[in-house]
Amino acid sequence: MNGLPLLSLTTFLPLAGALVVTALRMAGGARLADGASKPIALIVSLACLVVSLIALQQFDPSQSGFQLVEKVAWYDGVSYHLGVDGMAILLVVLTTALTPLCILWSFKSVEERVSDYMIAFLVLETLMIGVFCALDLMLFYVFFEGGLIPMFLIIGVWGGKNRLYAAFKFFLYTLLGSLLLLAAMIYMYVTVGTTDVQTLQDYPFDPGVQTWLWLAFLASFAVKLPMWPVHTWLPDAHVEAPTAGSVILAGVLLKMGGYGFLRFSLPMFPDASILFQPLMFILSVTAIIYASLVAFRQTDIKKLIAYSSVAHMGFVTLGIFAFNEAGIQGAIFQMISHGVISGALFFCVGVIYDRMHTREIAFYGGLVHRMPVYAALFMLFSMANVGLPGTSGFVGELMTMVGGFQASSWAAAGAAVGVILSAVYMLTLYRRTVFGEMTNEKLFDIRDVTFTEFFILGLLAVFALGLGVSPSVVFDITEGSTRDILQMIGK
Amino acid sequence: MGWQDLAALLIVFAPGVAAVTAGLGQRFLGDRGAMAITTALVVSAALAAGTLFFKHTFGAHEGAAHGHTIVLARWIDIGTFIANWAIRVDTLSVVMMFVVTSVSALVHIYSIGYMEEDPHRARFFSYLSLFTFAMLMLVTSDNFVQLFFGWEGVGLASYLLIGFWYKKASANSAAIKAFVVNRVGDVGFALGIMALVFLIQVPQASIAADGTVAATYLQQAGIETFSSVQFETVFAVIQNNLLVQPIGALQAVPVQSASFEFLGQYVYGLEIVGILLFIGAMGKSAQFLLHTWLPDAMEGPTPVSALIHAATMVTAGVFLVCRCSTIYEFTTVAAMIITLVGAVTCFFAATVGLAQNDIKRVIAYSTCSQLGYMFFAAGLGAYQAAMFHLFTHAFFKALLFLSAGAVIHGLHHEQDMRRMGGLWKKMPLTYVMMLLGTLALTGVGLPGVEQAHVGFAGFFSKDAIIEVAYASHDALGPLAFWLSIGAAFLTSFYSWRLMFMTFHGQTRADHHAYDDAHDAPWVMALPLILLAVGAVLAGGVFYDAFVDHHQADFWGSAIFTAPDNHVLHDRHDVPFWVLLAPAGAWISGLLFATYFYILRPALPRRMAANGGPLHSFLSNKWYFDELYSFVFVRGAALLGDLFWKVGDRKIIDGLGPDGATRLAQAGAGGLSRLHTGYLFHYALVILLSAVAFGAAVLFGQARG
């Protein structure tokens, strides 16, 4: 197995699947392609999962540095360079694990232009995996920005009523970030003569220059994460996106921001990162408290969970900029944990949205009377989102706060307020939708989860609990990358 | 692995297995199957815990007194932050395991009768067992993080059980309130753990120089400092006053005098850790300022109130303070805060208890008040006395709650004492049981001849605490003493008021309800009788072991007392009138209650009807709910709306994307095309980016 380019295989397998579906579509027409695209997409994404698991199994956590490296020179300092460390391989597996679930989910919930949808999803998967594997800044940029196109399509074609406004907002924010990132990249290439990530990580940029480059990278990553105050695109995008789109958006795309900080900002611009630590703490804590309070007042289930995501991403930036082992380990864990939990929560919303076609909290109430299994699963994920010990949410929040406390007790205390508020908005949401009397007649014959829904949510429940009880599975793998990052920042 | 370890494993995991089996398998098991399995497993855990406890108390103390830990699995392991899944067996955990499993087993049995007509019995029993499991994980933890797991786990079970009747809006509100108020405390607890990690950074040199800390930590070669959240290590570091170097500190200093900056203030490390942990205890144990959730928690089924909101979960805060005796022995401010909050709570809650008409709320405030006793005892350094009162209180308070449940059950869910009265003829067994509970709560016994051991359970434990308050040299000792005497009087008054209003006099129930009223079936009566045995005997039998001659042997290393802390011994030297004072308090309370509720029953009704500021102040619980609702609930809503509608929509969006759109439209009217052609534009941007990059590459090449 060692000879196989595992990372390239993982990255481009979905693209190959997309090409097959496209070819079918061209040769056999839309009807044939629509029917065949479902099993093809599922099989391809499962195969991709298997390959990524093999890559994970080949990965040796005891080694530091990048592994499974593939490098082909392209052009004068720019190369096709792939490789992963512990953090990246886990994010790849998170992507390859969530995608088949999303495709399976879409079997019944997507009815129009099915083959186009599957093509978009498979292309998206390739680009997401590429982001985490790329070790060349140019290559990263292509994957990072390219991933937005299929996401736009998924929102814009299969989304809700206001999808154009949402996509437009997303576009404006991202545009700003992209241009600044590009400018910084060009500057770095001109200065150093290469876009190779490892070379750039070792290059001693002048502290004054670092500041500007750091800010340019921030513009891009802050939008993606999203951080306060550039978060307002996220609730709109989530509300309009179809269920699977929301799951991928919250589960994987948001993680690219956190990944970017850890892969580029900290190692390449250590002085600037330390300089801006207070700013990042203020923004993180503001995000946690502000977004939690806003979430509390939402009337739309998806908006509420979207704001909750903003708050939970605040813990990620808090941990990253603590510059210590607990904080960074916690931040990586929080990214993976949030991928599972927020993905599951958006699936939970999807269950009732598919049945009733509304996300208004006030429409629901008393669901437990008709949907006991759903109520139990939704309770579990709500508690995981609240960060109850025993679920993965707890470990991420606790460790980022432990790390944050060591850098600033103010930051940890501020984040802790968010821990109280998360209980307020989640339990209120749960009470309004699931508990109480069922008074809305339209709900009287709502069905409990189907077997597919149960399978998907049950699987995610196993991960939310499993990672909560045995988080060392993750920590053991990410320990090496955390140490590397800390070493590069000189801590 | 000896039999004790096997027993401990059985005790902790049998309820866990029960919860999962009943929870997931209720469709196959049915209600009866789920009830049978959970009850059988929890009863077997109780039998094992009973064996462990009695062997420990009356046999040789060696086994558990020294304490040992069974490590089950790795949990969180980052650098030097290591928290395992583990079971710690020592006196504190053995006592708690016995209390938790025995009350839980009896509540399981009782619930078979009490919940007979409920359609969701399987779910109910699954929650009860889940609670028991979480509580056992809490008390058997060997580190702060697993304790926190149990801590929030019992909070979850409490939330689920308070809101068990999820159709009721009031039950749902009470459940959320309980969870959220507890979370306020929990956040204090979590910050306490963080502060502890921050503080306990022990340089290798410090250990090598001392040698008292287990040498295993030395073997972790390559680590310059070690930190720990394990009780054994943390307490050893503090007791031996090892050098620590809080993160960012320039040099190592002895831990007892180490300080660091917390929220802009320079504070002693142990003090701040102690205070933060105690905030957690205040939430869970419903102490003054964080008490508002407990009375509302009475919305849950009554067996839940007995198990969770009287005997076990609410005592977790007291347990935490006793478990951390090492920390509090070396703090001044933190210990004084505990004393103050405990003393104020014991008095405050008793005053509110005077003016409540819901039978369960009276007992809830009583619980709050008794927990206050335990806290100030611990704050004054008498952890053993606090644990003793926790132990006896569990039995008589569970008895009172379950008896109240029998009354409610017998009266078809009537809880208002104004619609009771004269029930002793209808339910003689319940009456006797409640009477025994009342005698135990009010502390009836023969003072001054303690060696004769004549008295109900509460007499021994409460009077020991009151003596401690008098004997203490602490500045707050006198305050605690007088408040506790006052509270003892009020306790007696509201307890007898409850007895008289419920069982004596002319009945005020409507005559259908009164005629139908009946005693509890045997499945409910049996637990009452067993608890009554505890309420009568638990004080006298265990007095020696918990707080008197054998206490040092009994507690072993589980409770640490500093060499200059003699308060448990000094209490024997108090003047005789101090021994008589609690008796005076309960007798006068009884007399007043007799006057008001037997001789002149019209008087209190007139007083309540006429109102008066004092009565409304008390019956409205000092207006805490109104205050909190105004400040926090409305405050959060207001801020949330402000941030959302003004912050996000007007400012961020207004200046950001929406503003940009407007600007472009005003300028060229062109950006509207962007709305529809956004994808094209995006592709264009990417293309332009690529071109720009290509140009840069060429430029770089030309230069190089």
Side-chain angles (χ1 to χ4, degrees), chain A residues 145 169 232 290 307 468 472, chain B residues 75 166 643 648 653 658 682:
Chain A
E145 299 299 333
K169 217 170 172 181
T232 60
Y290 182 106
Y307 275 108
S472 297
Chain B
W75 186 18
Y166 46 62
F643 289 159
D648 267 20
D653 280 355
D658 295 350
Y682 191 76

Side-chain angles (χ1 to χ4, degrees), chain A residues 292-307:
Chain A
S292 299
L293 283 168
V294 176
F296 175 50
R297 299 303 289 168
Q298 296 307 304
T299 54
D300 180 308
I301 307 177
K302 267 191 156 180
K303 271 200 174 167
L304 191 152
I305 297 173
Y307 275 108

Side-chain angles (χ1 to χ4, degrees), chain B residues 12-13 85 133-141 146-147 149-150:
Chain B
V12 175
F13 287 101
W85 293 110
F133 171 67
M135 189 71 201
L136 289 164
M137 288 299 275
L138 189 164
V139 299
T140 58
S141 168
Q146 185 186 320
L147 202 159
F149 165 82

Side-chain angles (χ1 to χ4, degrees), chain B residues 187-461:
Chain B
V187 159
F189 190 145
L191 285 170
I193 297 176
M194 293 170 214
L196 187 80
V197 175
F198 192 88
L199 170 72
I200 307 283
Q201 295 284 337
V202 187
Q204 285 282 2
S206 172
I207 314 159
D210 188 278
T212 41
V213 173
T216 46
Y217 294 100
L218 275 174
Q219 290 162 5
Q220 296 177 327
I223 301 171
E224 284 163 19
T225 59
F226 83 84
S227 171
S228 182
V229 287
Q230 271 168 309
F231 296 139
E232 214 171 0
T233 319
V234 170
F235 296 159
V237 168
I238 298 173
Q239 284 167 22
N240 297 305
N241 203 12
L242 295 192
L243 292 178
V244 295
Q245 191 164 6
I247 291 165
L250 295 175
Q251 55 181 351
V253 283
V255 64
Q256 291 167 17
S257 49
S259 58
F260 56 76
E261 196 192 322
F262 179 75
L263 302 186
Q265 305 286 318
Y266 249 87
V267 289
Y268 280 109
L270 286 180
E271 297 281 4
I272 201 69
V273 169
I275 291 169
L276 288 169
L277 292 176
F278 178 62
I279 291 175
M282 282 171 70
K284 194 104 305 182
S285 296
Q287 291 300 286
F288 190 66
L289 299 181
L290 292 181
H291 63 278
T292 53
W293 65 272
L294 184 59
D296 287 22
M298 298 300 122
E299 289 289 340
T302 307
V304 172
S305 313
L307 175 62
I308 301 184
H309 306 120
T312 57
M313 183 184 87
V314 291
T315 64
V318 180
F319 167 78
L320 174 69
V321 171
C322 294
R323 176 56 94 196
C324 297
S325 53
T326 300
I327 294 177
Y328 293 107
E329 281 298 90
F330 295 106
T331 63
T332 315
V333 180
M336 282 177 84
I337 290 176
I338 297 178
T339 311
L340 184 65
V341 170
V344 169
T345 307
C346 91
F347 186 79
F348 151 77
T351 62
V352 179
L354 297 177
Q356 301 301 310
N357 291 313
D358 182 314
I359 187 169
K360 284 178 71 182
R361 283 187 182 238
V362 175
I363 310 179
Y365 276 105
S366 163
T367 303
C368 205
S369 165
Q370 297 301 309
L371 290 165
Y373 277 94
M374 300 174 206
F375 274 111
F376 79 70
L380 295 171
Y383 310 96
Q384 297 87 343
M387 283 303 295
F388 190 35
H389 198 48
L390 185 162
F391 179 76
T392 62
H393 175 260
F395 299 112
F396 62 71
K397 193 51 69 66
L399 174 64
L400 284 170
F401 260 120
L402 292 184
S403 304
V407 171
I408 295 165
H409 186 78
L411 277 182
H412 300 287
H413 298 280
E414 178 60 70
Q415 295 188 196
D416 193 328
M417 295 192 299
R418 286 170 298 190
R419 287 193 285 277
M420 295 180 183
L423 287 172
W424 69 272
K425 276 173 277 185
K426 286 288 185 181
M427 30 183 92
L429 178 81
T430 309
Y431 173 64
V432 173
M433 292 301 130
M434 196 113 181
L435 186 64
L436 292 174
T438 302
L439 293 171
L441 169 64
T442 53
V444 175
L446 213 55
V449 282
E450 273 163 13
Q451 298 317 314
H453 291 187
V454 183
F456 293 88
F459 163 68
F460 294 94
S461 54

Side-chain angles (χ1 to χ4, degrees), chain A residues 180-350:
Chain A
L180 289 172
L181 178 61
L182 183 74
M185 238 170 68
I186 292 171
Y187 177 88
M188 288 162 77
Y189 177 74
V190 170
T191 313
V192 186
T194 177
T195 50
D196 189 72
V197 170
Q198 280 170 296
T199 315
L200 290 173
Q201 284 181 342
D202 294 337
Y203 187 84
F205 286 102
D206 179 72
V209 173
Q210 280 189 29
T211 306
W212 292 107
L213 294 175
W214 189 91
L215 285 171
F217 276 69
L218 171 73
S220 193
F221 299 147
V223 167
K224 197 61 64 85
L225 199 65
M227 293 179 70
W228 186 88
V230 288
H231 64 280
T232 60
W233 63 270
L234 185 72
D236 287 312
H238 267 309
V239 164
E240 301 307 330
T243 299
S246 280
V247 171
I248 287 296
L249 186 58
V252 182
L253 287 181
L254 302 191
K255 309 304 172 297
M256 292 178 181
Y259 174 81
F261 283 125
L262 286 169
R263 175 69 74 239
F264 305 105
S265 301
L266 265 61
M268 292 178 188
F269 323 121
D271 299 321
S273 296
I274 291 169
L275 177 71
F276 285 112
Q277 185 189 46
L279 173 76
M280 294 305 279
F281 277 175
I282 290 170
L283 292 181
S284 306
V285 172
T286 307
I288 293 172
I289 297 177
Y290 182 106
S292 299
L293 283 168
V294 176
F296 175 50
R297 299 303 289 168
Q298 296 307 304
T299 54
D300 180 308
I301 307 177
K302 267 191 156 180
K303 271 200 174 167
L304 191 152
I305 297 173
Y307 275 108
S308 152
S309 281
V310 176
H312 283 97
M313 288 297 107
F315 284 96
V316 172
T317 40
L318 172 70
I320 291 173
F321 285 87
F323 305 132
N324 52 44
E325 199 173 357
I328 291 181
Q329 284 275 50
I332 299 171
F333 190 89
Q334 173 77 350
M335 290 202 274
I336 291 161
S337 156
H338 181 261
V340 173
I341 296 168
S342 68
L345 282 172
F346 280 115
F347 277 131
C348 282
V349 179

